[in-house]
Amino acid sequence: MRIVVLAGGIGGARFLRGLKQAAPDADITVIGNTGDDIHLFGLKVCPDLDTVMYTLGGGIDEEQGWGRADETFHVKAELAAYGVGPEWFGLGDRDFATHIVRTQMLGAGYPLSAVTEALCARWKPGVRLLPMSDDRVETHVAVEVEGERKAVHFQEYWVRLRASVDAQAVVPVGAEQAQPAPGVLEAIGEADVVLFPPSNPVVSIGTILAVPGIREAIAEAGVPVVGLSPIVGNAPVRGMADKVLAAVGVEATAGAVARHYGSGLLDGWLVDTTDVDTVGEVEAAGIRCRAVPLMMTDVDATAAMAREALALAEEVRA
Amino acid sequence: MRIVVLAGGIGGARFLRGLKQAAPDADITVIGNTGDDIHLFGLKVCPDLDTVMYTLGGGIDEEQGWGRADETFHVKAELAAYGVGPEWFGLGDRDFATHIVRTQMLGAGYPLSAVTEALCARWKPGVRLLPMSDDRVETHVAVEVEGERKAVHFQEYWVRLRASVDAQAVVPVGAEQAQPAPGVLEAIGEADVVLFPPSNPVVSIGTILAVPGIREAIAEAGVPVVGLSPIVGNAPVRGMADKVLAAVGVEATAGAVARHYGSGLLDGWLVDTTDVDTVGEVEAAGIRCRAVPLMMTDVDATAAMAREALALAEEVRA
């Protein structure tokens, strides 16, 4: 079975770990969000790709969900001693090596997809990890701070501001001119099922879908497309997805997110058992819906979620 | 008193610490060798400038003489895990931060002299540290390995090969086209005395003198130029200076090094008491010479050497 998964960071990475357990023989291609990539200290940092790579490759800081296990922060402390920031972005020493290798390869002319493949040669994530695009896309968030409206990089909004101010708009700058990375459209075209993990529908999956050709390829693939709600009981399971959902005029409910994707894209939708009342509303929108436990408390629980998603896909197919 | 010092790495840095103690009120300008600079992992590394900066700024690994105190090597270990080398060059995590800041500033268009000044704003070395040139100069060493003659970067010869094969030639590539960095010729022109610490006469001081204009400015400054022999008892005090001296046809003796600099450049020369027999030979070559203890065993001993050098300069002046 060939599965294509659109993934953001922590939520996507943890779901993939469950999916690998649920479908050990599946051929999994992950299309990773690169809209939250950022240049720091002259280095190219790809937080979502790295979170997937580290999580599936056994290098992740399990508690934190991002960054490397057994990490130290001497480079960052020294940069701060030179007065060089930002200090709000937590790059560890081991993590720095990844960005140094990536930046050096990009500088030598390799596209991000080739760089990602080279990095994965070490981590062996057990999936094929593709960036959504080799072109630069950078998610900016329009905010109003002290009466002044300005656009900040998504990482600044998410990490520095902790989404403490309202997002007035979320714009994946460069997406319209971006092309899907080599292999992305081919993987979708050959997939037996496409899954949307419980990742952020706006800044993770939404950004991937904003790359021209990807949404269309998924809609026209003629295979089941099944998603899992990142909203449980009218709140994001983790992160601050409600803030960016508001910016695109979508309520932070499991049902509203399904309708935001729409029946033209989505065939099946899993909501948490807490949100069983939503099932009728989603089905009325033309999307098959089931209520199952959606808390990724451990790998077994996550694998059960993945099995439910695959079962719903089979139901859709039949 | 305005003192100009030409400095390589460890020997130059340690001498400078003694000089600062010997002449606490002096205005010291250090012209640092950049011929052993190297690009590693896409980063610009300036070993000699950093050794001077860390040593005088209190950040040096005292025992080793280079690199940072209290250092860790996680970035390097991770780079090796990616298969990215060279592994033979010891870059620590704290040290990496310096190279990241430098590379970012160079990329933003600042010349190396401005970058060095910015880095020194943190370290406060108590001297004005200038690179010999803002232009790229890279010392290469011609060697014969398994019958094949090839040129290797000085760091590869020194650090990887540990000077275990004969150096057939030492070439400061780019030196002929290089210009002295801003402030270098001015500092020499305003100096009351010019000192050559017990640094490598070929790959450290020799490289600085190879930048057109620097040797001439020193020779024509009309002030005492005094050097300290890096050779004691026919062997380098530290390092493998004999290997590169052979490449330029100079014996590894205190007297031969003085004659290599020549009376057109050098007015005074200090040799170790062990080499007292050499004094006559050096004076016969037109260079005033004294035999004094030249082992930099601690800062006090080094300060005594610096005082001897300044005393010899006064003798020359008188």
Side-chain angles (χ1 to χ4, degrees):
Chain A
M1 183 166 50
R2 284 164 300 194
I3 307 175
V4 164
V5 182
L6 272 50
I10 302 176
R14 289 189 171 163
F15 175 75
L16 282 163
R17 194 151 56 175
L19 179 63
K20 279 175 65 185
Q21 182 179 307
D25 299 325
D27 174 351
I28 302 171
T29 297
V30 178
I31 302 173
N33 172 41
T34 58
D36 60 351
D37 291 3
I38 186 167
H39 284 80
L40 294 169
F41 315 113
L43 301 172
K44 169 85 163 177
V45 180
C46 301
D48 282 2
L49 294 179
D50 289 350
T51 295
V52 170
M53 186 172 78
Y54 294 160
T55 300
L56 300 185
I60 200 79
D61 180 318
E62 288 290 345
E63 195 151 334
Q64 191 171 247
W66 54 269
R68 293 289 311 280
D70 198 20
E71 188 58 292
T72 52
F73 291 87
H74 296 154
V75 176
K76 189 187 175 191
E78 293 293 325
L79 289 168
Y82 280 117
V84 173
E87 294 196 40
W88 50 264
F89 202 87
L91 286 186
D93 298 333
R94 296 183 190 282
D95 199 22
F96 256 109
T98 300
H99 314 313
I100 289 170
V101 174
R102 175 185 293 122
T103 305
Q104 200 177 6
M105 286 190 72
L106 289 171
Y110 291 95
L112 183 60
S113 49
V115 174
T116 304
E117 189 179 346
L119 295 172
C120 284
R122 170 187 174 194
W123 289 103
K124 300 180 176 54
V127 300
R128 185 172 177 220
L129 177 61
L130 302 175
M132 64 188 201
S133 177
D134 280 336
D135 301 319
R136 184 165 170 177
V137 178
E138 210 168 78
T139 302
H140 286 201
V141 180
V143 292
E144 196 173 303
V145 179
E146 292 166 7
E148 195 193 348
R149 189 167 167 163
K150 60 176 183 175
V152 297
H153 189 288
F154 170 71
Q155 296 294 353
E156 189 172 351
Y157 180 72
W158 208 247
V159 180
R160 187 170 82 82
L161 298 174
R162 308 287 315 153
S164 59
V165 293
D166 287 342
Q168 303 191 331
V170 177
V171 183
V173 178
E176 281 178 24
Q177 292 76 41
Q179 294 196 328
V184 165
L185 297 184
E186 294 77 355
I188 295 168
E190 294 167 1
D192 297 308
V193 57
V194 177
L195 299 180
F196 295 179
S199 288
N200 190 306
V202 181
V203 295
S204 295
I205 295 178
T207 308
I208 301 170
L209 294 172
V211 177
I214 294 184
R215 174 189 288 272
E216 296 73 8
I218 293 172
E220 294 161 12
V223 298
V225 179
V226 172
L228 298 92
S229 177
I231 306 288
V232 169
N234 301 338
V237 174
R238 62 169 295 136
M240 302 148 286
D242 47 332
K243 292 289 189 161
V244 287
L245 280 166
V248 295
V250 176
E251 262 192 304
T253 68
V257 172
R259 283 183 281 112
H260 171 62
Y261 285 131
S263 62
L265 187 68
L266 208 59
D267 303 303
W269 186 243
L270 294 180
V271 299
D272 187 71
T273 44
T274 308
D275 299 310
V276 65
D277 291 350
T278 309
V279 171
E281 166 201 345
V282 175
E283 297 226 312
I287 299 165
R288 197 173 289 244
C289 186
R290 295 286 174 273
V292 300
L294 285 192
M295 302 304 280
M296 297 193 283
T297 44
D298 57 31
V299 180
D300 287 344
T302 311
M305 288 165 54
R307 274 189 294 271
E308 293 285 0
L310 294 173
L312 185 55
E314 288 315 305
E315 233 186 279
V316 167
R317 196 190 310 278
Chain B
M1 181 165 50
R2 283 164 300 194
I3 307 175
V4 164
V5 181
L6 272 50
I10 303 176
R14 289 189 171 164
F15 175 76
L16 283 162
R17 193 150 55 176
L19 178 63
K20 279 175 65 184
Q21 182 178 307
D25 300 325
D27 173 351
I28 303 172
T29 296
V30 178
I31 302 173
N33 172 41
T34 57
D36 60 351
D37 291 2
I38 186 167
H39 283 80
L40 294 170
F41 316 112
L43 300 173
K44 171 86 163 178
V45 180
C46 301
D48 282 2
L49 294 180
D50 288 348
T51 295
V52 170
M53 186 172 78
Y54 294 158
T55 300
L56 300 185
I60 200 80
D61 180 318
E62 288 290 346
E63 195 150 332
Q64 191 171 248
W66 54 268
R68 293 289 311 279
D70 198 19
E71 188 58 291
T72 53
F73 291 87
H74 296 154
V75 177
K76 189 186 175 190
E78 293 293 325
L79 289 168
Y82 280 117
V84 173
E87 294 196 39
W88 49 264
F89 201 88
L91 286 186
D93 297 332
R94 295 183 190 282
D95 200 20
F96 257 108
T98 300
H99 314 314
I100 289 170
V101 174
R102 176 185 291 122
T103 304
Q104 199 177 5
M105 286 191 72
L106 290 170
Y110 292 95
L112 183 60
S113 50
V115 174
T116 304
E117 189 179 346
L119 295 172
C120 285
R122 170 186 174 193
W123 289 103
K124 299 178 176 54
V127 300
R128 184 171 177 221
L129 178 60
L130 302 175
M132 64 190 199
S133 177
D134 280 336
D135 301 319
R136 184 166 170 176
V137 178
E138 207 168 80
T139 303
H140 285 201
V141 180
V143 293
E144 197 172 302
V145 179
E146 292 167 6
E148 194 193 347
R149 188 165 168 164
K150 60 177 182 174
V152 297
H153 189 287
F154 170 69
Q155 296 294 354
E156 189 172 351
Y157 180 72
W158 208 248
V159 180
R160 188 171 81 82
L161 298 174
R162 309 284 318 153
S164 59
V165 295
D166 288 342
Q168 303 190 332
V170 177
V171 183
V173 179
E176 281 178 24
Q177 292 77 41
Q179 294 196 330
V184 165
L185 298 184
E186 293 78 356
I188 295 168
E190 294 167 1
D192 298 306
V193 57
V194 176
L195 299 180
F196 295 179
S199 287
N200 190 304
V202 181
V203 295
S204 295
I205 295 178
T207 307
I208 300 170
L209 294 171
V211 176
I214 294 184
R215 173 189 290 272
E216 297 73 8
I218 294 172
E220 294 161 12
V223 298
V225 179
V226 172
L228 298 91
S229 176
I231 306 287
V232 170
N234 302 338
V237 175
R238 64 169 295 136
M240 303 149 287
D242 47 332
K243 291 290 187 159
V244 288
L245 279 167
V248 294
V250 176
E251 261 190 306
T253 67
V257 172
R259 283 184 281 110
H260 171 62
Y261 284 131
S263 61
L265 187 67
L266 208 58
D267 302 303
W269 187 240
L270 294 179
V271 300
D272 188 72
T273 43
T274 310
D275 298 310
V276 65
D277 292 351
T278 308
V279 172
E281 166 201 344
V282 175
E283 298 226 311
I287 299 165
R288 197 173 288 244
C289 187
R290 294 289 174 271
V292 299
L294 285 192
M295 302 304 279
M296 297 192 284
T297 44
D298 56 31
V299 179
D300 287 344
T302 311
M305 287 165 54
R307 275 190 292 272
E308 293 285 359
L310 294 173
L312 185 54
E314 289 315 306
E315 233 186 279
V316 166
R317 197 189 311 274

